[in-house]
Amino acid sequence: MKYKLSELAQIKYGKDHKKLENGNIPVYGTGGLMRKVNNFLYSGESVLIPRKGSLNNVMFVTGKFWTVDTMFWTKINSKKVLPKYLYYCLSRINLSALNVGSAVPSLTIKILNEIRLDIPSLSKQKEIVKKLAPFERKIRLNNQINANLFELTKNYWELFKSNYKTKYLSISELANKVVTGKTPSKKKKEYYENGNVPFIKIPDMHGRVFVTDSTEHLSTVGANSQKSKFIPKGSIIVSCIGTPGLVAMTSKRCQTNQQINSIIIDSKIVYAVFLELQNLRKYIINLGSGGTTISNLNKSDFQNIKLSVPSIDKMCMFDVEVQPIFQQILSNELENKNLDRIKNELLMKLF
């Protein structure tokens, strides 16, 4: 049966989260989990729909949560549609095609409410959701394992550092090179057609230790138009505009947009530097230019950020010890990428 989205769910606005205290309730933005706070907008199953930014990044959440003002949340009529089934329906729609923004991609409640969806009986919905559930369980398990492993390495880094004398070294002193990304001209379609070079943007970094893929790719021609912007596998990438302070590592050769600075660094100390940058996230956020709508940390200030680290020899020793853990994290993230691909192929056949 055909329904308008307005007949299946009430679309609600997110709210500013900055004045909330830290807690254990997740806050979601367009790119994913942003932080955890002590209050919630809603408790239950909901589909989150981007209002601004990466419009196709639809999410399903359950339990208590908060969304920022760039993300809609929904109250779903479960007598007509299962929340998870509605999530599958909306995740298959190219919401970017409904964009009404100019500088920033945007959606409105009015436009979303008019989306028409073909919804089968509840029994048929339950059958489809059941077939996809094993994939999602495994993905959630891998994510939880990775979260635990990452917390383990952060705690061990602090313990490791406490055993040695540390000194302050700037990013420019630790890095072989720092590269600020760039977006090739969107007017040249050949720069993006049949793209095979990952082009990383901030939403690709959310919730990641390693960025194993990106939502957008450059063609070989597009990437070669700015050869100096290539960054190798094993680089550390840091968001510096808009949402500064996100830190991740690259799992393959790629390029980034101008909101990201990449640290090309000796692989023997990459994990130590990566973890120390994680500790500095709040500091990096505060370095972003105040008084402006968008936080902006310029390259010069970024390169001058100082990290409290032991000697290079000690950092090398630390990296050897934690390498198997990081390799397991990468393996789990790559498995999730493959599971998600298979799940989406199955989804196409079931709908």
Side-chain angles (χ1 to χ4, degrees), residues 8 32 46 58 86 93 114 168 247 275 286 295 332 337-338:
L8 300 171
S46 182
V58 178
L86 181 61
I93 296 173
E114 293 300 312
Y168 285 98
V247 186
L275 290 169
N286 291 332
S295 297
N332 289 342
K337 177 184 171 184
N338 193 44

Side-chain angles (χ1 to χ4, degrees), residues 169-173 175 177-181 238 240-241 258 260-263 283-284 287-289 296-307:
L169 293 176
S170 67
I171 287 176
S172 60
E173 290 174 303
K177 185 179 181 182
V178 173
V179 175
T180 299
V238 184
C240 291
I241 298 177
Q258 59 277 7
I260 297 170
N261 281 325
S262 300
I263 303 170
Y283 174 73
I284 293 173
L287 276 180
S289 54
N296 185 355
L297 177 61
N298 65 51
K299 183 178 178 180
S300 176
D301 288 342
F302 175 75
Q303 291 185 127
N304 287 330
I305 291 173
K306 291 188 179 295
L307 284 64

Side-chain angles (χ1 to χ4, degrees), residues 15-182:
K15 295 183 179 180
D16 186 23
H17 65 101
K18 295 184 181 69
K19 294 182 180 180
L20 298 176
E21 300 292 331
N22 289 333
N24 58 7
I25 297 167
V27 175
Y28 296 102
T30 305
L33 179 65
M34 294 180 64
R35 58 177 293 216
K36 292 190 175 181
V37 296
N38 64 337
N39 202 354
F40 62 96
L41 284 178
Y42 186 67
S43 179
E45 294 182 316
S46 182
V47 178
L48 311 185
I49 306 170
R51 186 174 75 87
K52 291 184 178 291
S54 301
L55 302 184
N56 286 325
N57 197 21
V58 178
M59 289 177 260
F60 174 81
V61 296
T62 185
K64 296 177 180 178
F65 66 87
W66 188 284
T67 66
V68 300
D69 55 7
T70 58
M71 179 71 87
F72 294 121
W73 60 277
T74 53
K75 272 187 176 181
I76 299 166
N77 183 349
S78 56
K79 292 181 179 179
K80 292 181 179 179
V81 63
L82 298 176
K84 180 56 73 74
Y85 190 86
L86 181 61
Y87 160 72
Y88 290 142
C89 289
L90 291 174
S91 64
R92 296 181 68 247
I93 296 173
N94 180 18
L95 295 177
S96 293
L98 305 178
N99 171 40
V100 295
S102 51
V104 179
S106 304
L107 291 172
T108 66
I109 291 179
K110 182 178 179 180
I111 287 175
L112 290 170
N113 277 337
E114 293 300 312
I115 292 175
R116 292 186 174 273
L117 300 168
D118 192 1
I119 305 297
S121 66
L122 285 171
S123 60
K124 181 64 175 178
Q125 293 176 47
K126 289 176 183 177
E127 180 185 332
I128 291 174
V129 169
K130 185 177 180 180
K131 287 180 179 178
L132 295 167
F135 294 94
E136 301 210 336
R137 280 198 298 270
K138 178 58 175 169
I139 289 171
R140 283 197 302 272
L141 176 61
N142 282 347
N143 285 338
Q144 187 57 58
I145 290 171
N146 278 359
N148 293 339
L149 290 175
F150 183 48
E151 195 64 29
L152 176 68
T153 59
K154 287 202 300 183
N155 291 338
Y156 182 52
W157 172 238
E158 292 306 307
L159 178 63
F160 184 90
K161 280 203 307 175
S162 68
N163 292 320
Y164 302 101
K165 183 178 179 180
T166 61
K167 59 181 177 179
Y168 285 98
L169 293 176
S170 67
I171 287 176
S172 60
E173 290 174 303
L174 290 163
N176 297 330
K177 185 179 181 182
V178 173
V179 175
T180 299
K182 183 181 178 182

